[in-house]
Amino acid sequence: MPSTLHRTISHSMPIADYWRVLRTSSYWTDLAAGMPTPTSVEEVDIDDGIVDVTLVHTIPEANLPSVVTKIRPGDLLITRTISWRNAVGSLDGEFTATVQGAPASAEGTATVHNSGEGSVEELSGKASVGIPFLGSKIEAMIVENLDELFDSEARVTDEWYTEHRSELAG
């Protein structure tokens, strides 16, 4: 059974501004630069009501637990796709992540809605690792790392919004 993730993250901006942030190409580059592991932006596709992004996270072998490096030595390359849609009264997102050369993946959804002066993001997801006996242990590590990743992204997003707020007005 896959390990699951459920998170609620508060943001300093209302969803109208959050949508403006997501639709700004430079935000994605700055987000990647602010991540705790090397991250590159592979693609950003911004359409009227849709934002699709592909990021590649590199986790150096030295930062991986031995249970992982015994199974798959070397750096881990994780490709994550993110899709956001502007819905009525909310922003709806989906993400998937796959690990190159390993039977590991994660997927989930996010919904952002207004709350007071800001917004609240509800995240849920699951991690799956197709390795007998060790899979559940690695899945739990993936969920823990996703928690940390989403915390980092929330911090960078709110900081980016604060720095670029006047540019987004309009």
Side-chain angles (χ1 to χ4, degrees):
M1 179 173 195
S3 293
T4 58
L5 163 78
H6 296 286
R7 299 266 295 143
T8 301
I9 298 173
S10 295
H11 293 284
S12 61
M13 71 203 92
I15 63 170
D17 286 347
Y18 201 133
W19 184 240
R20 287 183 189 97
V21 169
L22 295 174
R23 294 179 50 78
T24 305
S25 294
S26 62
Y27 158 74
W28 293 102
T29 304
D30 293 343
L31 178 71
M35 292 296 90
T37 60
T39 301
S40 63
V41 178
E42 296 297 307
E43 182 179 359
V44 176
D45 185 15
I46 299 170
D47 202 351
D48 287 339
I50 301 169
V51 175
D52 292 320
V53 179
T54 302
L55 303 172
V56 176
H57 304 276
T58 302
I59 303 177
E61 181 178 22
N63 295 353
L64 295 169
S66 62
V67 68
V68 173
T69 58
K70 286 179 184 175
I71 297 165
R72 198 217 168 271
D75 297 347
L76 283 186
L77 297 178
I78 302 167
T79 300
R80 185 165 58 120
T81 59
I82 306 162
S83 294
W84 282 103
R85 293 178 178 26
N86 191 0
V88 177
S90 69
L91 303 177
D92 296 331
E94 298 176 348
F95 70 89
T96 61
T98 56
V99 180
Q100 182 181 348
S105 64
E107 62 183 28
T109 60
T111 301
V112 180
H113 54 86
N114 282 323
S115 177
E117 296 294 314
S119 57
V120 172
E121 183 173 3
E122 302 285 340
L123 291 152
S124 63
K126 63 182 178 180
S128 300
V129 177
I131 300 173
F133 306 112
L134 293 176
S136 61
K137 184 174 183 173
I138 297 171
E139 288 169 1
M141 284 187 260
I142 291 171
V143 166
E144 183 179 318
N145 283 301
L146 283 172
D147 262 346
E148 292 171 13
L149 173 72
F150 292 138
D151 284 344
S152 294
E153 286 184 352
R155 178 188 48 76
V156 170
T157 300
D158 284 343
E159 289 171 0
W160 195 93
Y161 173 68
T162 300
E163 290 174 25
H164 297 86
R165 186 179 203 165
S166 62
E167 299 165 32
L168 296 171

